[in-house]
Amino acid sequence: MTSTVSSLAPVRREGLRVSILDRYLVSELAGPFMFGLSAFTMIFIATQLISIGKLVSEEHAPLMAAIEYFFWDMPQFLLFVIPMAMLLGTLLATQRLSGDSEITAMKAGGVSIMRIVLPLAAVGLMVSLVSLVLQEVVVPLANDRAAYIKTAVIQHLNPIEGNLTVVTPLPAGGKQITIASGLDAQTQSLLDVTVVQQDHDGKPGTIIYADQARYEPPTWSFINATTRTFNPDGSVTTGTEPRLSVDVGEKPNEIAKHTATGDPEQKSRAEIKTALETGLLSLQQVKTYTASYSAKLARPFAAVVFTLIAVPFGLRPGRGGGRGLGFGLALVIIFVYYVISTLFLTIGGIATWLAGIAAWTPNASFTLIGLWLLRQASRV
């Protein structure tokens, strides 16, 4: 207690610089945050264990393949777990500080509630940025691997049939259109492939045909490919290659995702943007993808929003309750937040011109409520 009060004078002199008080508050947050991360992760793991059991018992999946699928499927759940852990951690930390009268001592030393919140909010912002990176970099890779294991190793699905189309821009301008009649997940191959490379005016420059294109990272190998090049003088040059490397622009599981499931929630913002730019989506898909594109930028920042909401609830008068009360309160706040987020995601999907506003409305609303509650708490 003495060390906390003695650090208050340097806090006033240092302003926004990291002080002993900042480090103290962050250290108090670390333990409860890890507890929340572990608790919520265990809840999601429990639900996934049931799914693993069904894969092994009903679909006769190899146990190791089911376990591997489980681990690759976990990162997407962390996107929900991390903000929840931040909420619970902040609640428990401020409850402990308030219950032991340390907040009272800080206020008596001239430290405002807003100054106490500042380092906690900074951690919440950092956690939000980590969640955003996880969503855009780690989760897409993990989802690709999980999709491959489920389709090729566990379910042994037949090749996905239908007109699979991938449109990618060319480095020199124009675009490349890849069309295949099917995708064999087990061999990571496209079947009956045609690649058309067009210039700025939409005129074909090169057309490539192959019965099979096998994915050999980081590119594709076209087996027994036939190439037709349209020269500026109007002549056509035809050639054959036993193996020709062509960058299709997407990996097998990325092609499978946007052709088979079409669920934008399983994609990163970069993948959603690419799908929107192809012009191959239906009107309803464009609306859904546009809403998800905006929501996926706003959603990771729930961590910093939850921090602002949690502090005033943690500072409420009275003792008792401990982790049980904090956990219950956290669940209520999380439930209300995600119900409102789902509602506004639907609104953004109906009116795409409102997608950005709808995506950020839950964060803005909860932030304003948190700031109002903090102001009320500072008057006590």
Side-chain angles (χ1 to χ4, degrees):
M1 191 67 249
T2 304
S3 62
T4 304
V5 176
S6 64
S7 67
L8 300 182
V11 168
R12 290 194 296 268
R13 290 197 304 268
E14 293 175 5
L16 296 179
R17 293 174 58 189
V18 177
S19 66
I20 296 175
L21 179 61
D22 294 326
R23 291 194 293 270
Y24 177 72
L25 290 170
V26 172
S27 67
E28 285 294 306
L29 175 63
F33 173 76
M34 294 307 299
F35 168 76
L37 192 64
S38 303
F40 286 115
T41 300
M42 290 302 297
I43 292 175
F44 280 101
I45 287 177
T47 60
Q48 287 298 98
L49 287 177
I50 297 175
S51 300
I52 291 178
K54 289 183 178 180
L55 287 176
V56 175
S57 61
E58 297 178 6
E59 300 189 29
H60 307 290
L63 179 59
M64 293 307 298
I67 293 174
E68 185 180 0
Y69 170 75
F70 164 75
F71 280 109
W72 285 114
D73 202 39
M74 275 302 298
Q76 65 178 332
F77 293 111
L78 290 178
L79 297 178
F80 295 94
V81 168
I82 291 174
M84 295 177 182
M86 192 65 201
L87 171 60
L88 181 59
T90 305
L91 267 172
L92 296 180
T94 51
Q95 276 182 344
R96 210 284 300 168
L97 293 171
S98 180
D100 291 347
S101 300
E102 293 192 30
I103 297 293
T104 303
M106 294 177 193
K107 292 171 66 177
V111 181
S112 67
I113 291 295
M114 292 299 182
R115 182 60 184 85
I116 295 172
V117 171
L118 188 61
L120 302 179
V123 174
L125 178 60
M126 182 179 67
V127 169
S128 295
L129 294 175
V130 170
S131 296
L132 183 61
V133 173
L134 183 69
Q135 171 186 275
E136 294 302 302
V137 179
V138 178
V139 171
L141 297 176
N143 283 347
D144 286 344
R145 185 61 186 171
Y148 168 73
I149 293 172
K150 188 171 184 179
T151 57
V153 180
I154 296 177
Q155 296 178 334
H156 301 289
L157 294 181
N158 294 324
I160 299 171
E161 297 180 353
N163 291 324
L164 311 181
T165 305
V166 178
V167 180
T168 54
L170 294 173
K175 62 182 179 181
Q176 175 178 278
I177 304 173
T178 304
I179 303 172
S181 65
L183 171 65
D184 190 339
Q186 290 184 317
T187 62
Q188 300 282 276
S189 300
L190 290 171
L191 308 176
D192 298 323
V193 195
T194 300
V195 176
V196 181
Q197 297 177 345
Q198 298 178 342
D199 59 17
H200 292 284
D201 300 324
K203 296 179 180 179
T206 302
I207 299 179
I208 304 170
Y209 307 92
D211 292 334
Q212 183 184 43
R214 187 174 302 150
Y215 184 63
E216 297 176 353
T219 188
W220 293 79
S221 289
F222 283 58
I223 312 301
N224 297 324
T226 300
T227 304
R228 290 185 180 178
T229 303
F230 298 87
N231 302 312
D233 60 3
S235 62
V236 179
T237 302
T238 302
T240 57
E241 296 281 349
R243 185 177 292 267
L244 179 65
S245 295
V246 180
D247 184 8
V248 169
E250 291 189 359
K251 294 177 289 186
N253 291 315
E254 291 173 339
I255 296 174
K257 279 196 298 184
H258 71 67
T259 55
T261 64
D263 183 7
E265 290 299 313
Q266 299 296 320
K267 308 175 188 294
S268 66
R269 295 185 77 243
E271 291 172 337
I272 293 174
K273 183 180 179 182
T274 300
L276 288 170
E277 290 174 346
T278 62
L280 300 174
L281 300 178
S282 66
L283 179 60
Q284 183 56 48
Q285 285 177 318
V286 168
K287 292 181 178 181
T288 304
Y289 275 56
T290 302
S292 292
Y293 183 76
S294 298
K296 279 182 169 290
L297 179 60
R299 204 173 291 155
F301 290 91
V304 66
V305 173
F306 284 169
T307 303
L308 298 177
I309 285 285
V311 171
F313 280 105
L315 296 178
R316 74 194 187 288
R319 298 171 180 268
R323 291 187 174 183
L325 181 59
F327 195 83
L329 185 57
L331 289 178
V332 172
I333 295 173
I334 290 165
F335 175 78
V336 173
Y337 175 86
Y338 283 110
V339 166
I340 294 175
S341 294
T342 303
L343 174 63
F344 278 93
L345 178 64
T346 304
I347 294 173
I350 296 173
T352 54
W353 62 276
L354 281 174
I357 297 174
W360 286 95
T361 295
N363 284 353
S365 302
F366 273 68
T367 298
L368 291 175
I369 293 172
L371 292 175
W372 181 80
L373 291 173
L374 285 171
R375 184 180 179 184
Q376 297 298 112
S378 65
R379 295 176 176 177
V380 178

